[in-house]
Amino acid sequence: MRRKHLDVLKKRLLALDLPWFADQARKLLGVPASYYLRRPLCPPVFGGMVVTYRCNETCPMCNVRKKADPSREMDTPAMLDLAGQMADLGVSGVSITGGEPLVRADVFEIVERLKNRGVPVSMSTNGVRLADPVTARALVECGIDSVAVSLDGDTPEEHDRSRGRKGAFEKTLQGVRNLLEARNARPGARPLLVTLAVVLSRANAARFENILTLAKSLGVDNVSLNPLHDTFQGEPTEDPGLYFAPDDADLDALPDRLLELRARHGLMDSSRAYISHLGRFFRTGTMPGRCYAPYFSLYVDCHGDILPCGGHFYENRIAFNLQGRTLAQAWRSPEMQAVRDRLRNCRACYYSCMAELNLTYARFP
């Protein structure tokens, strides 16, 4: 289990939050039961809101930005309504993502709507906009619970290459500093978890310890990682040098080296089980075990398109459009179940948001 999830469990236990534990127990048992019975028996564990596909970086390993169409983006009232529907659906938490979420001026209102409904909220950001202290303060003040800032290297050359933007490294570091300063200026408020999120690639794997050292010097709470995925679906990738070859000899030692760094530095959020299978994923492009994601997650984007999991979001493969339906209706719809049935044997991604929960559910027969 991920470090930050264990922290949540400890805090809820100390608060004696029995209703919360009952809800999570229902989902822990309900998700594998839903898989076997082929129908959803409980709400999603978490929801994803893709608030925009616009982005201020051009990462060569990501084609999400190519779907950007400002003319199709939902306006503020529509996005706030979706946030309310996420709460109505009964998700345990919502991830705000993009594109770059902070290019939307109303993203703080979206977070506040979810928080006012009692939903824990996290955000993934490249951190560039956080270089503006006003933006960093606004993100803290809207009550968000967790922010993951992307950092793919400990040097400008390494990070800027991975992000497709010259100067991104310095802006991101300043953004992290601003975010931590804004958090620390509100000592009596709910603590905000700040994570550095690393896309692990052939270009930075050998220098991963340097990123951990930088993370310590910044004072962040966690470092998480995701293996580099090919999201281009057969199209030529923009920087082939970032990808491991299946026969790369460095993959044999990679999991053990990362586990040693995890034990020594104490910052890594990724679980031992997740790290231990990274070499296999880089070689085969498949995750171990079965995937329960369409039964524990639900993504909706700024166009009203439903995506059954994080893997489909990153690869721009929509399931269907809401077309006036609520998220609850979509979750229980025949169209959604048809998508689940089609994906029953999918093993094609190892994104931590999906894979870590799948490894938890792998304990069930």
Side-chain angles (χ1 to χ4, degrees):
M1 185 176 288
R2 298 178 73 169
R3 177 180 169 182
K4 66 181 181 182
H5 294 162
L6 286 172
D7 288 342
V8 170
L9 287 174
K10 290 175 185 176
K11 289 175 183 177
R12 297 283 186 170
L13 183 60
L14 289 172
L16 296 177
D17 193 344
L18 298 182
W20 183 87
F21 275 102
D23 184 51
Q24 304 319 306
R26 175 191 173 200
K27 291 172 181 175
L28 180 66
L29 298 174
V31 168
S34 299
Y35 178 90
Y36 286 114
L37 296 176
R38 295 180 183 251
R39 60 189 178 91
L41 301 177
C42 60
V45 176
F46 71 85
M49 292 184 66
V50 187
V51 297
T52 184
Y53 286 106
R54 290 174 287 146
C55 192
N56 50 5
E57 292 187 333
T58 56
C59 304
M61 70 289 199
C62 177
N63 67 351
V64 168
R65 67 186 185 277
K66 295 182 178 181
K67 197 176 177 181
D69 184 354
S71 68
R72 291 189 62 205
E73 279 191 13
M74 290 182 175
D75 60 16
T76 300
M79 291 302 297
L80 293 177
D81 182 62
L82 276 183
Q85 289 184 41
M86 278 288 183
D88 292 338
L89 185 55
V91 297
S92 299
V94 168
S95 172
I96 303 290
T97 188
E100 170 49 48
L102 291 173
V103 304
R104 274 195 79 121
D106 61 0
V107 70
F108 311 111
E109 295 179 65
I110 298 168
V111 173
E112 287 174 344
R113 177 61 58 89
L114 288 161
K115 291 302 298 175
N116 289 339
R117 295 291 306 276
V119 180
V121 185
S122 63
M123 179 184 289
S124 297
T125 172
N126 58 40
V128 169
R129 292 249 170 157
L130 296 174
D132 174 10
V134 174
T135 302
R137 285 195 297 271
L139 186 55
V140 171
E141 290 169 0
C142 72
I144 197 163
D145 297 278
S146 175
V147 178
V149 182
S150 298
L151 187 72
D152 295 340
D154 70 305
T155 65
E157 294 77 17
E158 197 167 71
H159 178 77
D160 292 359
R161 173 189 178 184
S162 182
R163 295 285 139 183
R165 174 172 174 163
K166 188 174 178 60
F169 180 75
E170 296 302 335
K171 282 188 174 293
T172 296
L173 289 193
Q174 188 57 52
V176 172
R177 294 187 186 104
N178 288 344
L179 189 63
L180 291 169
E181 182 179 345
R183 177 189 72 175
N184 296 339
R186 304 174 75 241
R190 179 191 295 270
L192 164 67
L193 187 74
V194 178
T195 297
L196 292 187
V198 182
V199 176
L200 193 69
S201 70
R202 187 181 183 190
N204 64 14
R207 295 171 54 84
F208 186 72
E209 185 170 13
N210 295 27
I211 299 176
L212 292 175
T213 301
L214 176 57
K216 278 188 175 179
S217 71
L218 289 169
V220 299
D221 303 298
N222 285 312
V223 176
S224 68
L225 58 84
N226 271 297
L228 180 68
H229 287 63
D230 181 2
T231 66
F232 286 82
Q233 300 182 59
E235 297 178 12
T237 57
E238 295 178 2
D239 190 346
L242 292 174
Y243 294 84
F244 282 104
D247 59 351
D248 197 315
D250 291 339
L251 292 177
D252 293 331
L254 180 62
D256 286 342
R257 186 159 56 82
L258 290 173
L259 287 170
E260 188 272 328
L261 292 175
R262 179 180 184 269
R264 182 149 50 89
H265 286 269
L267 266 182
M268 291 177 65
D269 175 50
S270 307
S271 70
R272 290 184 59 85
Y274 181 75
I275 293 170
S276 68
H277 294 293
L278 282 170
R280 169 197 166 126
F281 175 76
F282 278 126
R283 287 194 188 284
T284 67
T286 61
M287 62 160 281
R290 62 176 65 97
C291 181
Y292 298 94
Y295 289 100
F296 67 64
S297 71
L298 182 68
Y299 279 70
V300 60
D301 72 10
C302 52
H303 304 157
D305 290 332
I306 292 292
L307 305 108
C309 64
H312 270 50
F313 152 56
Y314 285 110
E315 295 187 6
N316 288 332
R317 294 185 290 178
I318 68 169
F320 53 88
N321 192 272
L322 282 172
Q323 295 181 328
R325 287 171 289 191
T326 67
L327 292 179
Q329 289 169 336
W331 178 248
R332 299 178 180 90
S333 68
E335 294 98 321
M336 187 67 185
Q337 189 55 48
V339 172
R340 295 186 186 105
D341 290 341
R342 189 173 74 243
L343 297 177
R344 191 167 183 83
N345 297 313
C346 181
R347 308 288 184 270
C349 85
Y350 201 54
Y351 295 110
S352 60
C353 55
M354 306 288 111
E356 290 277 16
L357 269 176
N358 277 322
L359 291 169
T360 298
Y361 289 119
R363 299 186 175 117
F364 290 88

PDB file of all heavy atoms in Angstrom, residues 64-95:
ATOM      1  N   VAL A  64      -1.767  13.844 -24.392  1.00  0.00           N
ATOM      2  CA  VAL A  64      -3.037  14.350 -23.878  1.00  0.00           C
ATOM      3  C   VAL A  64      -3.324  15.746 -24.396  1.00  0.00           C
ATOM      4  O   VAL A  64      -4.462  16.087 -24.727  1.00  0.00           O
ATOM      5  CB  VAL A  64      -3.024  14.319 -22.330  1.00  0.00           C
ATOM      6  CG1 VAL A  64      -4.199  15.090 -21.755  1.00  0.00           C
ATOM      7  CG2 VAL A  64      -3.062  12.881 -21.835  1.00  0.00           C
ATOM      8  N   ARG A  65      -2.274  16.573 -24.488  1.00  0.00           N
ATOM      9  CA  ARG A  65      -2.465  17.961 -24.915  1.00  0.00           C
ATOM     10  C   ARG A  65      -3.054  18.073 -26.313  1.00  0.00           C
ATOM     11  O   ARG A  65      -3.670  19.090 -26.659  1.00  0.00           O
ATOM     12  CB  ARG A  65      -1.126  18.708 -24.867  1.00  0.00           C
ATOM     13  CG  ARG A  65      -0.108  18.204 -25.888  1.00  0.00           C
ATOM     14  CD  ARG A  65       1.261  18.860 -25.725  1.00  0.00           C
ATOM     15  NE  ARG A  65       2.189  18.466 -26.772  1.00  0.00           N
ATOM     16  CZ  ARG A  65       2.912  17.354 -26.774  1.00  0.00           C
ATOM     17  NH1 ARG A  65       2.789  16.515 -25.756  1.00  0.00           N
ATOM     18  NH2 ARG A  65       3.740  17.078 -27.766  1.00  0.00           N
ATOM     19  N   LYS A  66      -2.895  17.018 -27.123  1.00  0.00           N
ATOM     20  CA  LYS A  66      -3.395  17.073 -28.493  1.00  0.00           C
ATOM     21  C   LYS A  66      -4.915  17.040 -28.558  1.00  0.00           C
ATOM     22  O   LYS A  66      -5.506  17.313 -29.609  1.00  0.00           O
ATOM     23  CB  LYS A  66      -2.801  15.914 -29.303  1.00  0.00           C
ATOM     24  CG  LYS A  66      -1.289  16.009 -29.458  1.00  0.00           C
ATOM     25  CD  LYS A  66      -0.734  14.883 -30.302  1.00  0.00           C
ATOM     26  CE  LYS A  66       0.781  15.021 -30.475  1.00  0.00           C
ATOM     27  NZ  LYS A  66       1.347  13.937 -31.316  1.00  0.00           N
ATOM     28  N   LYS A  67      -5.548  16.700 -27.450  1.00  0.00           N
ATOM     29  CA  LYS A  67      -7.003  16.672 -27.418  1.00  0.00           C
ATOM     30  C   LYS A  67      -7.597  18.011 -26.981  1.00  0.00           C
ATOM     31  O   LYS A  67      -8.815  18.160 -26.895  1.00  0.00           O
ATOM     32  CB  LYS A  67      -7.465  15.558 -26.464  1.00  0.00           C
ATOM     33  CG  LYS A  67      -8.917  15.147 -26.652  1.00  0.00           C
ATOM     34  CD  LYS A  67      -9.291  13.983 -25.755  1.00  0.00           C
ATOM     35  CE  LYS A  67     -10.768  13.634 -25.917  1.00  0.00           C
ATOM     36  NZ  LYS A  67     -11.194  12.515 -25.056  1.00  0.00           N
ATOM     37  N   ALA A  68      -6.741  18.981 -26.693  1.00  0.00           N
ATOM     38  CA  ALA A  68      -7.217  20.275 -26.208  1.00  0.00           C
ATOM     39  C   ALA A  68      -8.113  20.954 -27.241  1.00  0.00           C
ATOM     40  O   ALA A  68      -7.770  21.067 -28.416  1.00  0.00           O
ATOM     41  CB  ALA A  68      -6.032  21.175 -25.878  1.00  0.00           C
ATOM     42  N   ASP A  69      -9.280  21.385 -26.790  1.00  0.00           N
ATOM     43  CA  ASP A  69     -10.237  22.110 -27.630  1.00  0.00           C
ATOM     44  C   ASP A  69     -11.028  23.046 -26.715  1.00  0.00           C
ATOM     45  O   ASP A  69     -12.066  22.670 -26.182  1.00  0.00           O
ATOM     46  CB  ASP A  69     -11.176  21.133 -28.346  1.00  0.00           C
ATOM     47  CG  ASP A  69     -12.130  21.835 -29.300  1.00  0.00           C
ATOM     48  OD1 ASP A  69     -12.143  23.082 -29.330  1.00  0.00           O
ATOM     49  OD2 ASP A  69     -12.883  21.137 -30.010  1.00  0.00           O
ATOM     50  N   PRO A  70     -10.520  24.263 -26.503  1.00  0.00           N
ATOM     51  CA  PRO A  70     -11.191  25.187 -25.576  1.00  0.00           C
ATOM     52  C   PRO A  70     -12.664  25.407 -25.883  1.00  0.00           C
ATOM     53  O   PRO A  70     -13.461  25.649 -24.970  1.00  0.00           O
ATOM     54  CB  PRO A  70     -10.387  26.478 -25.735  1.00  0.00           C
ATOM     55  CG  PRO A  70      -9.027  26.026 -26.198  1.00  0.00           C
ATOM     56  CD  PRO A  70      -9.294  24.827 -27.072  1.00  0.00           C
ATOM     57  N   SER A  71     -13.044  25.291 -27.153  1.00  0.00           N
ATOM     58  CA  SER A  71     -14.448  25.528 -27.514  1.00  0.00           C
ATOM     59  C   SER A  71     -15.369  24.441 -26.973  1.00  0.00           C
ATOM     60  O   SER A  71     -16.584  24.653 -26.847  1.00  0.00           O
ATOM     61  CB  SER A  71     -14.593  25.609 -29.042  1.00  0.00           C
ATOM     62  OG  SER A  71     -14.345  24.341 -29.644  1.00  0.00           O
ATOM     63  N   ARG A  72     -14.824  23.268 -26.634  1.00  0.00           N
ATOM     64  CA  ARG A  72     -15.629  22.165 -26.116  1.00  0.00           C
ATOM     65  C   ARG A  72     -15.596  22.066 -24.602  1.00  0.00           C
ATOM     66  O   ARG A  72     -16.343  21.278 -24.023  1.00  0.00           O
ATOM     67  CB  ARG A  72     -15.152  20.835 -26.707  1.00  0.00           C
ATOM     68  CG  ARG A  72     -15.423  20.636 -28.189  1.00  0.00           C
ATOM     69  CD  ARG A  72     -15.098  19.205 -28.582  1.00  0.00           C
ATOM     70  NE  ARG A  72     -15.945  18.247 -27.870  1.00  0.00           N
ATOM     71  CZ  ARG A  72     -15.606  16.976 -27.639  1.00  0.00           C
ATOM     72  NH1 ARG A  72     -14.430  16.531 -28.016  1.00  0.00           N
ATOM     73  NH2 ARG A  72     -16.440  16.171 -26.995  1.00  0.00           N
ATOM     74  N   GLU A  73     -14.712  22.832 -23.954  1.00  0.00           N
ATOM     75  CA  GLU A  73     -14.591  22.722 -22.500  1.00  0.00           C
ATOM     76  C   GLU A  73     -15.859  23.187 -21.794  1.00  0.00           C
ATOM     77  O   GLU A  73     -16.441  24.209 -22.143  1.00  0.00           O
ATOM     78  CB  GLU A  73     -13.405  23.561 -21.996  1.00  0.00           C
ATOM     79  CG  GLU A  73     -12.076  22.882 -22.151  1.00  0.00           C
ATOM     80  CD  GLU A  73     -10.959  23.615 -21.410  1.00  0.00           C
ATOM     81  OE1 GLU A  73     -11.267  24.513 -20.582  1.00  0.00           O
ATOM     82  OE2 GLU A  73      -9.787  23.293 -21.674  1.00  0.00           O
ATOM     83  N   MET A  74     -16.266  22.438 -20.800  1.00  0.00           N
ATOM     84  CA  MET A  74     -17.413  22.840 -19.988  1.00  0.00           C
ATOM     85  C   MET A  74     -17.111  24.151 -19.271  1.00  0.00           C
ATOM     86  O   MET A  74     -15.973  24.407 -18.867  1.00  0.00           O
ATOM     87  CB  MET A  74     -17.714  21.767 -18.938  1.00  0.00           C
ATOM     88  CG  MET A  74     -18.262  20.478 -19.502  1.00  0.00           C
ATOM     89  SD  MET A  74     -18.632  19.333 -18.145  1.00  0.00           S
ATOM     90  CE  MET A  74     -19.384  17.991 -19.057  1.00  0.00           C
ATOM     91  N   ASP A  75     -18.151  24.974 -19.092  1.00  0.00           N
ATOM     92  CA  ASP A  75     -17.979  26.219 -18.360  1.00  0.00           C
ATOM     93  C   ASP A  75     -17.999  25.945 -16.854  1.00  0.00           C
ATOM     94  O   ASP A  75     -18.175  24.800 -16.402  1.00  0.00           O
ATOM     95  CB  ASP A  75     -19.035  27.246 -18.759  1.00  0.00           C
ATOM     96  CG  ASP A  75     -20.467  26.769 -18.495  1.00  0.00           C
ATOM     97  OD1 ASP A  75     -20.652  25.782 -17.743  1.00  0.00           O
ATOM     98  OD2 ASP A  75     -21.402  27.394 -19.029  1.00  0.00           O
ATOM     99  N   THR A  76     -17.845  26.990 -16.080  1.00  0.00           N
ATOM    100  CA  THR A  76     -17.743  26.837 -14.630  1.00  0.00           C
ATOM    101  C   THR A  76     -18.975  26.180 -14.008  1.00  0.00           C
ATOM    102  O   THR A  76     -18.841  25.221 -13.234  1.00  0.00           O
ATOM    103  CB  THR A  76     -17.469  28.196 -13.963  1.00  0.00           C
ATOM    104  OG1 THR A  76     -16.232  28.725 -14.477  1.00  0.00           O
ATOM    105  CG2 THR A  76     -17.363  28.053 -12.447  1.00  0.00           C
ATOM    106  N   PRO A  77     -20.200  26.646 -14.307  1.00  0.00           N
ATOM    107  CA  PRO A  77     -21.366  25.996 -13.693  1.00  0.00           C
ATOM    108  C   PRO A  77     -21.436  24.495 -13.998  1.00  0.00           C
ATOM    109  O   PRO A  77     -21.797  23.698 -13.113  1.00  0.00           O
ATOM    110  CB  PRO A  77     -22.553  26.753 -14.287  1.00  0.00           C
ATOM    111  CG  PRO A  77     -22.014  28.106 -14.627  1.00  0.00           C
ATOM    112  CD  PRO A  77     -20.609  27.843 -15.091  1.00  0.00           C
ATOM    113  N   ALA A  78     -21.094  24.111 -15.221  1.00  0.00           N
ATOM    114  CA  ALA A  78     -21.155  22.695 -15.587  1.00  0.00           C
ATOM    115  C   ALA A  78     -20.104  21.884 -14.825  1.00  0.00           C
ATOM    116  O   ALA A  78     -20.375  20.765 -14.365  1.00  0.00           O
ATOM    117  CB  ALA A  78     -20.961  22.523 -17.089  1.00  0.00           C
ATOM    118  N   MET A  79     -18.893  22.435 -14.668  1.00  0.00           N
ATOM    119  CA  MET A  79     -17.854  21.724 -13.932  1.00  0.00           C
ATOM    120  C   MET A  79     -18.200  21.626 -12.451  1.00  0.00           C
ATOM    121  O   MET A  79     -17.946  20.595 -11.805  1.00  0.00           O
ATOM    122  CB  MET A  79     -16.501  22.416 -14.119  1.00  0.00           C
ATOM    123  CG  MET A  79     -15.928  22.311 -15.525  1.00  0.00           C
ATOM    124  SD  MET A  79     -15.689  20.602 -16.106  1.00  0.00           S
ATOM    125  CE  MET A  79     -14.486  19.993 -14.941  1.00  0.00           C
ATOM    126  N   LEU A  80     -18.795  22.678 -11.904  1.00  0.00           N
ATOM    127  CA  LEU A  80     -19.205  22.632 -10.499  1.00  0.00           C
ATOM    128  C   LEU A  80     -20.308  21.606 -10.293  1.00  0.00           C
ATOM    129  O   LEU A  80     -20.350  20.915  -9.258  1.00  0.00           O
ATOM    130  CB  LEU A  80     -19.662  24.013 -10.037  1.00  0.00           C
ATOM    131  CG  LEU A  80     -18.577  25.099  -9.977  1.00  0.00           C
ATOM    132  CD1 LEU A  80     -19.192  26.433  -9.573  1.00  0.00           C
ATOM    133  CD2 LEU A  80     -17.478  24.712  -8.999  1.00  0.00           C
ATOM    134  N   ASP A  81     -21.183  21.482 -11.279  1.00  0.00           N
ATOM    135  CA  ASP A  81     -22.231  20.476 -11.192  1.00  0.00           C
ATOM    136  C   ASP A  81     -21.630  19.066 -11.215  1.00  0.00           C
ATOM    137  O   ASP A  81     -22.056  18.183 -10.451  1.00  0.00           O
ATOM    138  CB  ASP A  81     -23.223  20.645 -12.345  1.00  0.00           C
ATOM    139  CG  ASP A  81     -24.364  19.645 -12.282  1.00  0.00           C
ATOM    140  OD1 ASP A  81     -25.117  19.676 -11.288  1.00  0.00           O
ATOM    141  OD2 ASP A  81     -24.489  18.820 -13.199  1.00  0.00           O
ATOM    142  N   LEU A  82     -20.627  18.848 -12.057  1.00  0.00           N
ATOM    143  CA  LEU A  82     -19.949  17.546 -12.085  1.00  0.00           C
ATOM    144  C   LEU A  82     -19.280  17.247 -10.747  1.00  0.00           C
ATOM    145  O   LEU A  82     -19.301  16.104 -10.269  1.00  0.00           O
ATOM    146  CB  LEU A  82     -18.894  17.516 -13.196  1.00  0.00           C
ATOM    147  CG  LEU A  82     -19.357  17.169 -14.607  1.00  0.00           C
ATOM    148  CD1 LEU A  82     -18.161  17.124 -15.540  1.00  0.00           C
ATOM    149  CD2 LEU A  82     -20.108  15.848 -14.646  1.00  0.00           C
ATOM    150  N   ALA A  83     -18.680  18.281 -10.138  1.00  0.00           N
ATOM    151  CA  ALA A  83     -18.059  18.086  -8.824  1.00  0.00           C
ATOM    152  C   ALA A  83     -19.100  17.634  -7.804  1.00  0.00           C
ATOM    153  O   ALA A  83     -18.859  16.713  -7.011  1.00  0.00           O
ATOM    154  CB  ALA A  83     -17.380  19.377  -8.371  1.00  0.00           C
ATOM    155  N   GLY A  84     -20.276  18.265  -7.840  1.00  0.00           N
ATOM    156  CA  GLY A  84     -21.350  17.851  -6.943  1.00  0.00           C
ATOM    157  C   GLY A  84     -21.806  16.430  -7.211  1.00  0.00           C
ATOM    158  O   GLY A  84     -22.120  15.676  -6.275  1.00  0.00           O
ATOM    159  N   GLN A  85     -21.828  16.053  -8.492  1.00  0.00           N
ATOM    160  CA  GLN A  85     -22.225  14.692  -8.838  1.00  0.00           C
ATOM    161  C   GLN A  85     -21.209  13.661  -8.350  1.00  0.00           C
ATOM    162  O   GLN A  85     -21.580  12.538  -7.982  1.00  0.00           O
ATOM    163  CB  GLN A  85     -22.401  14.574 -10.350  1.00  0.00           C
ATOM    164  CG  GLN A  85     -23.617  15.302 -10.900  1.00  0.00           C
ATOM    165  CD  GLN A  85     -23.774  15.063 -12.388  1.00  0.00           C
ATOM    166  OE1 GLN A  85     -23.581  13.952 -12.881  1.00  0.00           O
ATOM    167  NE2 GLN A  85     -24.124  16.104 -13.121  1.00  0.00           N
ATOM    168  N   MET A  86     -19.922  14.032  -8.361  1.00  0.00           N
ATOM    169  CA  MET A  86     -18.908  13.136  -7.803  1.00  0.00           C
ATOM    170  C   MET A  86     -19.206  12.857  -6.336  1.00  0.00           C
ATOM    171  O   MET A  86     -19.127  11.717  -5.865  1.00  0.00           O
ATOM    172  CB  MET A  86     -17.508  13.745  -7.956  1.00  0.00           C
ATOM    173  CG  MET A  86     -16.876  13.545  -9.311  1.00  0.00           C
ATOM    174  SD  MET A  86     -16.376  11.820  -9.560  1.00  0.00           S
ATOM    175  CE  MET A  86     -15.598  11.939 -11.182  1.00  0.00           C
ATOM    176  N   ALA A  87     -19.554  13.910  -5.600  1.00  0.00           N
ATOM    177  CA  ALA A  87     -19.899  13.742  -4.187  1.00  0.00           C
ATOM    178  C   ALA A  87     -21.152  12.885  -4.038  1.00  0.00           C
ATOM    179  O   ALA A  87     -21.213  11.992  -3.188  1.00  0.00           O
ATOM    180  CB  ALA A  87     -20.088  15.100  -3.533  1.00  0.00           C
ATOM    181  N   ASP A  88     -22.166  13.145  -4.871  1.00  0.00           N
ATOM    182  CA  ASP A  88     -23.406  12.361  -4.814  1.00  0.00           C
ATOM    183  C   ASP A  88     -23.151  10.880  -5.084  1.00  0.00           C
ATOM    184  O   ASP A  88     -23.811  10.009  -4.504  1.00  0.00           O
ATOM    185  CB  ASP A  88     -24.412  12.887  -5.837  1.00  0.00           C
ATOM    186  CG  ASP A  88     -24.935  14.275  -5.507  1.00  0.00           C
ATOM    187  OD1 ASP A  88     -24.863  14.672  -4.329  1.00  0.00           O
ATOM    188  OD2 ASP A  88     -25.401  14.964  -6.444  1.00  0.00           O
ATOM    189  N   LEU A  89     -22.190  10.617  -5.959  1.00  0.00           N
ATOM    190  CA  LEU A  89     -21.886   9.231  -6.333  1.00  0.00           C
ATOM    191  C   LEU A  89     -21.269   8.454  -5.169  1.00  0.00           C
ATOM    192  O   LEU A  89     -21.402   7.235  -5.097  1.00  0.00           O
ATOM    193  CB  LEU A  89     -20.945   9.226  -7.538  1.00  0.00           C
ATOM    194  CG  LEU A  89     -20.583   7.898  -8.191  1.00  0.00           C
ATOM    195  CD1 LEU A  89     -21.828   7.125  -8.610  1.00  0.00           C
ATOM    196  CD2 LEU A  89     -19.678   8.143  -9.393  1.00  0.00           C
ATOM    197  N   GLY A  90     -20.609   9.159  -4.253  1.00  0.00           N
ATOM    198  CA  GLY A  90     -20.041   8.496  -3.085  1.00  0.00           C
ATOM    199  C   GLY A  90     -18.600   8.080  -3.225  1.00  0.00           C
ATOM    200  O   GLY A  90     -18.152   7.140  -2.555  1.00  0.00           O
ATOM    201  N   VAL A  91     -17.833   8.790  -4.074  1.00  0.00           N
ATOM    202  CA  VAL A  91     -16.416   8.455  -4.225  1.00  0.00           C
ATOM    203  C   VAL A  91     -15.667   8.764  -2.936  1.00  0.00           C
ATOM    204  O   VAL A  91     -16.055   9.649  -2.167  1.00  0.00           O
ATOM    205  CB  VAL A  91     -15.783   9.227  -5.405  1.00  0.00           C
ATOM    206  CG1 VAL A  91     -16.424   8.842  -6.717  1.00  0.00           C
ATOM    207  CG2 VAL A  91     -15.872  10.732  -5.178  1.00  0.00           C
ATOM    208  N   SER A  92     -14.585   8.044  -2.699  1.00  0.00           N
ATOM    209  CA  SER A  92     -13.777   8.277  -1.497  1.00  0.00           C
ATOM    210  C   SER A  92     -12.803   9.428  -1.682  1.00  0.00           C
ATOM    211  O   SER A  92     -12.241   9.930  -0.709  1.00  0.00           O
ATOM    212  CB  SER A  92     -12.998   7.010  -1.129  1.00  0.00           C
ATOM    213  OG  SER A  92     -13.886   5.949  -0.845  1.00  0.00           O
ATOM    214  N   GLY A  93     -12.582   9.836  -2.911  1.00  0.00           N
ATOM    215  CA  GLY A  93     -11.695  10.955  -3.199  1.00  0.00           C
ATOM    216  C   GLY A  93     -11.733  11.277  -4.672  1.00  0.00           C
ATOM    217  O   GLY A  93     -12.158  10.456  -5.493  1.00  0.00           O
ATOM    218  N   VAL A  94     -11.304  12.495  -5.025  1.00  0.00           N
ATOM    219  CA  VAL A  94     -11.281  12.936  -6.425  1.00  0.00           C
ATOM    220  C   VAL A  94      -9.901  13.467  -6.758  1.00  0.00           C
ATOM    221  O   VAL A  94      -9.308  14.234  -5.987  1.00  0.00           O
ATOM    222  CB  VAL A  94     -12.340  14.027  -6.687  1.00  0.00           C
ATOM    223  CG1 VAL A  94     -12.120  14.680  -8.052  1.00  0.00           C
ATOM    224  CG2 VAL A  94     -13.743  13.435  -6.628  1.00  0.00           C
ATOM    225  N   SER A  95      -9.400  13.065  -7.917  1.00  0.00           N
ATOM    226  CA  SER A  95      -8.145  13.576  -8.446  1.00  0.00           C
ATOM    227  C   SER A  95      -8.451  14.595  -9.535  1.00  0.00           C
ATOM    228  O   SER A  95      -9.159  14.288 -10.499  1.00  0.00           O
ATOM    229  CB  SER A  95      -7.300  12.434  -9.018  1.00  0.00           C
ATOM    230  OG  SER A  95      -6.165  12.941  -9.700  1.00  0.00           O
TER     231      SER A  95
END
